[in-house]
Amino acid sequence: MSFTRTTEQDSNYNGLEQMSVSELLQHINTEDKTVPLAVENALPQIERLTQEVIKQLKQGGRLFYMGAGTSGRLGVVDASECPPTFGVPHGMVVGLIAGGETAIRKAVEFAEDSSTQGWADLQEHAITEKDIVIGIAASGTTPYVLHALEACNQNNIPTGSITCNAGSPVAQMSKYPVEVVVGPEFVTGSSRMKAGTAQKLVLNMISTATMI
């Protein structure tokens, strides 16, 4: 499968700085309306991944989310909300972000480019074959995520992913990929927008269907 970074392509809108606030909001809303449809197209993939998460948790395993930047923060948020929402133990769902706790609030330069830190972070949690790791990466190319999934595969740890470009390296590296192709962002390359919204929706679905 060929790989094109549609999330990085030029915006469908020109002259953003000349638009009124009303126009900006209307166009952003128009783009946001396409996200649930993109998620719908990925429902079979989401179901396969969710079923695997349920299987691993039933045998006493844990769910790990890992990502960088916005993707990492979304995983941390979903993990942190599982105990108060569903009454599950702290530590059943773990969110890891490139750069550690500091990166939740402030970008840590080059943290996402490490090819070893992702696996090292998982090892700190004594990762085992009972667990499952979901890599979250809008572009589908983040080294922190990619190489962690590769190490998981080598150690017989189930892997999934949530990406927003079709045929990305991260998706190909994971056993249960979810690809929600949202297309170019309103602000060129700003994957915190549609891609981030798509990832949040998928995370909501996985954790809710798993914990209920």
Side-chain angles (χ1 to χ4, degrees):
M1 183 183 295
S2 61
F3 173 54
T4 302
R5 293 195 196 202
T6 54
T7 54
E8 306 300 320
Q9 291 180 343
D10 289 343
S11 171
N12 294 321
Y13 301 84
N14 295 317
L16 303 189
E17 64 279 3
Q18 272 86 49
M19 292 182 186
S20 67
V21 171
S22 177
E23 289 172 325
L24 288 169
L25 298 179
Q26 288 174 10
H27 290 318
I28 292 171
N29 183 240
T30 296
E31 289 298 306
D32 286 347
K33 288 176 184 177
T34 69
V35 175
L37 297 177
V39 173
E40 182 179 7
N41 289 335
L43 279 175
Q45 292 182 324
I46 298 169
E47 181 178 354
R48 284 192 292 270
L49 175 54
T50 303
Q51 293 284 13
E52 184 66 14
V53 172
I54 291 170
K55 187 187 81 165
Q56 294 300 102
L57 294 188
K58 279 185 175 179
Q59 66 178 15
R62 296 162 294 172
L63 168 59
F64 286 85
Y65 295 132
M66 59 190 318
T70 297
S71 297
R73 294 181 189 102
L74 289 170
V76 170
V77 167
D78 197 73
S80 66
E81 290 176 345
C82 284
T85 302
F86 303 109
V88 299
H90 289 276
M92 177 180 284
V93 185
V94 180
L96 300 176
I97 182 170
E101 294 289 320
T102 300
I104 295 174
R105 297 171 181 82
K106 184 178 180 181
V108 177
E109 288 293 324
F110 309 117
E112 67 181 44
D113 297 325
S114 173
S115 61
T116 58
Q117 191 59 51
W119 177 240
D121 288 348
L122 289 170
Q123 287 182 302
E124 285 188 10
H125 290 268
I127 188 89
T128 76
E129 294 180 16
K130 289 184 178 181
D131 302 319
I132 182 168
V133 177
I134 298 178
I136 312 170
S139 67
T141 61
T142 309
Y144 174 82
V145 173
L146 180 63
H147 293 285
L149 295 181
E150 181 180 26
C152 287
N153 290 337
Q154 293 169 351
N155 288 274
N156 299 313
I157 299 165
T159 54
S161 61
I162 304 171
T163 61
C164 295
N165 289 318
S168 71
V170 165
Q172 293 180 5
M173 185 61 70
S174 58
K175 187 173 181 182
Y176 300 95
V178 173
E179 298 173 298
V180 185
V181 182
V182 296
E185 296 286 0
F186 180 72
V187 176
T188 299
S190 182
S191 55
R192 70 181 181 84
M193 301 185 77
K194 289 192 300 181
T197 300
Q199 290 173 329
K200 175 59 175 167
L201 291 176
V202 174
L203 289 168
N204 287 348
M205 297 169 84
I206 292 172
S207 58
T208 301
T210 298
M211 303 296 165
I212 286 180

